[in-house]
Amino acid sequence: MKTTIWLYGQLFSQDWPGQFSTKRKVASLTNKYIFELNKLDIKAEVSFLIDAENGAKAEEKDLEFAVTAENETDENKIWDVIVKVKNKIDY
């Protein structure tokens, strides 16, 4: 599973030159998804798209997902995990 995070239309990484509060907020929004998605043994890519004017104040509602998988079954498994994490359902 490959995951990428996009903030302000740019690829986000730990080397992001922005403020620590932005890095902390991005991590708090995405870590729970990444943790659960990495449990799947699927070759796929999930991108987290954060659309907020201020990354440090981003909220769950500012988070969108793009999923690319080798087949529809794998893609559906990924979406199932995303929905369960988003809705705080046991997975």
Side-chain angles (χ1 to χ4, degrees):
M1 178 76 61
K2 178 181 178 184
T3 56
T4 55
I5 301 170
W6 296 86
L7 179 63
Y8 310 127
Q10 298 177 9
L11 186 60
F12 182 86
S13 71
Q14 288 297 82
D15 299 331
W16 182 264
Q19 299 175 342
F20 176 75
S21 58
T22 299
K23 292 179 186 180
R24 186 177 64 226
K25 186 56 148 179
V26 168
S28 73
L29 286 173
T30 59
N31 280 351
K32 57 191 169 193
Y33 292 99
I34 293 170
F35 179 78
E36 293 301 326
L37 289 168
N38 282 333
K39 291 180 181 178
L40 299 175
D41 188 21
I42 295 174
K43 289 185 180 180
E45 181 173 349
V46 177
S47 294
F48 299 89
L49 314 166
I50 300 172
D51 185 27
E53 287 185 29
N54 181 344
K57 295 182 180 180
E59 299 178 7
E60 191 86 26
K61 67 179 179 64
D62 300 316
L63 186 60
E64 296 180 19
F65 305 89
V67 175
T68 305
E70 291 183 348
N71 58 61
E72 189 174 344
T73 301
D74 288 349
E75 187 173 323
N76 288 339
K77 288 178 184 178
I78 293 167
W79 281 112
D80 285 347
V81 169
I82 290 170
V83 167
K84 287 177 181 180
V85 172
K86 188 174 193 85
N87 294 322
K88 298 177 178 80
I89 299 171
D90 288 336
Y91 25 84

